[in-house]
């Protein structure tokens, strides 16, 4: 089975722009979660989607949004980019979204905001 | 959400066992204990998880305290490829994974 894929792998944007990141989960997985990783804050949960519905949301401003499509692929969008949004954005998928389900992470998209 | 506490860093010699501790005193009855590790320039990788009983798999063992307020990840024979940041986290029915700062494991040859 192919693993979780994320596109693009690297991205450079300027302040004020918006960006859309894409995640393709492992085939058959219905839960997709997004995380932001920075040296200062570590790995922080952004949101989780299950069967096209957002089930959980972390403590991020409304500039961060996401969605999930019927094929379980997910996108996240960041509008009005700020310098502090520079980070590695990780997507993870799992069969289900409950406690025992293993999450499989993609390689991440590294976003640099100038 | 349950929080975890781990040592910032640990060192081990190659071929020796490593015990990575984690405190999770606020764990709820339905929270699973998960361990992930992250190698440089990669996304986190699943290691092991458990609920109440000790667990073994090909990568590691997980020892869970009887009161479930702490757990220990055991790497039976550390190799240089095991050098990574190890995260202990709880996952309940909300599906959230809350990562702490993790333990950076150094393995010396």
């Amino acid at each position: 089975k192919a693993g979780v894929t994320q596109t693009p792998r690297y991205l450079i944007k300027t302040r004020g722009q918006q960006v859309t990141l894409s995640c393709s989960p492992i085939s058959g997985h219905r839960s997709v979660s997004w995380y932001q990783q920075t040296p200062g804050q570590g790995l922080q949960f952004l949101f989780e989607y299950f069967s096209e519905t957002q089930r959980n949301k972390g403590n991020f401003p409304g500039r961060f949004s996401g969605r999930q499509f019927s094929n379980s692929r997910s996108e996240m969008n960041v509008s009005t980019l700020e310098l502090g949004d520079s980070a590695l954005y990780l997507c993870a998928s799992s069969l289900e979204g409950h406690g025992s389900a293993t999450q499989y992470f993609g390689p991440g998209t590294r976003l640099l905001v100038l | 959400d349950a929080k975890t506490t781990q040592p910032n860093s640990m060192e081990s010699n190659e071929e020796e066992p490593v015990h990575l501790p984690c405190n999770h005193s606020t764990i709820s009855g339905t929270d699973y204990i998960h361990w992930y590790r992250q190698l440089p320039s990669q996304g986190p990788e699943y290691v092991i998880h458990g609920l109440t009983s000790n667990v073994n798999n090909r990568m590691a063992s997980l020892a869970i305290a009887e009161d479930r307020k702490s757990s220990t990840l055991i790497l039976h024979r550390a190799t240089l490829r095991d050098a990574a940041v190890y995260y202990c986290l709880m996952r309940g029915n909300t599906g959230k994974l809350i990562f702490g700062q993790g333990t950076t494991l150094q393995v010396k040859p």
Side-chain angles (χ1 to χ4, degrees):
Chain A
K1 258 188 193 177
V4 177
T5 57
Q6 293 187 245
T7 56
R9 292 293 311 279
Y10 303 93
L11 206 47
I12 300 175
K13 292 285 188 178
T14 55
R15 276 184 303 173
Q17 287 187 309
Q18 74 159 18
V19 67
T20 299
L21 311 181
S22 181
C23 171
S24 292
I26 291 172
S27 177
H29 285 193
R30 294 194 293 164
S31 170
V32 173
S33 298
W34 289 89
Y35 298 83
Q36 180 196 65
Q37 186 170 32
T38 59
Q41 299 297 319
L43 269 157
Q44 292 187 283
F45 173 79
L46 278 157
F47 25 67
E48 186 219 359
Y49 288 87
F50 184 81
S51 293
E52 301 179 68
T53 301
Q54 186 182 86
R55 290 205 307 188
N56 285 292
K57 192 174 190 310
N59 297 323
F60 280 81
R63 300 186 297 106
F64 291 82
S65 63
R67 58 178 176 166
Q68 187 180 33
F69 302 96
S70 57
N71 61 359
S72 293
R73 193 177 69 82
S74 177
E75 287 181 348
M76 69 161 280
N77 184 276
V78 187
S79 62
T80 321
L81 283 166
E82 300 177 0
L83 296 179
D85 297 332
S86 295
L88 179 66
Y89 289 88
L90 291 156
C91 161
S93 76
S94 61
L95 268 172
E96 301 288 345
H98 59 68
S100 67
T102 299
Q103 285 205 331
Y104 295 89
F105 284 80
T109 294
R110 190 164 293 281
L111 171 66
L112 177 61
V113 182
L114 301 174
Chain B
D1 299 310
K3 298 249 166 88
T4 62
T5 305
Q6 299 176 253
N8 286 334
S9 62
M10 290 185 67
E11 277 186 5
S12 171
N13 293 318
E14 201 176 7
E15 304 291 314
E16 289 186 356
V18 183
H19 289 66
L20 297 164
C22 180
N23 286 318
H24 29 80
S25 57
T26 59
I27 192 170
S28 77
T30 55
D31 285 342
Y32 281 78
I33 301 159
H34 285 252
W35 283 82
Y36 286 76
R37 71 181 185 182
Q38 188 172 22
L39 280 65
S41 303
Q42 295 186 24
E45 171 190 34
Y46 168 79
V47 177
I48 200 166
H49 77 278
L51 185 61
T52 56
S53 307
N54 295 343
V55 184
N56 299 298
N57 66 20
R58 63 174 181 81
M59 287 181 72
S61 295
L62 176 60
I64 301 172
E66 201 169 325
D67 62 7
R68 300 211 324 128
K69 294 188 176 183
S70 65
S71 61
T72 302
L73 178 71
I74 302 163
L75 306 178
H76 295 286
R77 289 178 67 197
T79 69
L80 297 177
R81 289 183 298 177
D82 291 323
V85 180
Y86 285 80
Y87 295 98
C88 160
L89 44 149
M90 309 295 103
R91 191 176 195 205
N93 289 330
T94 64
K96 271 188 195 180
L97 275 178
I98 307 297
F99 285 82
Q101 292 305 307
T103 297
T104 300
L105 175 66
Q106 271 190 304
V107 180
K108 296 186 285 187

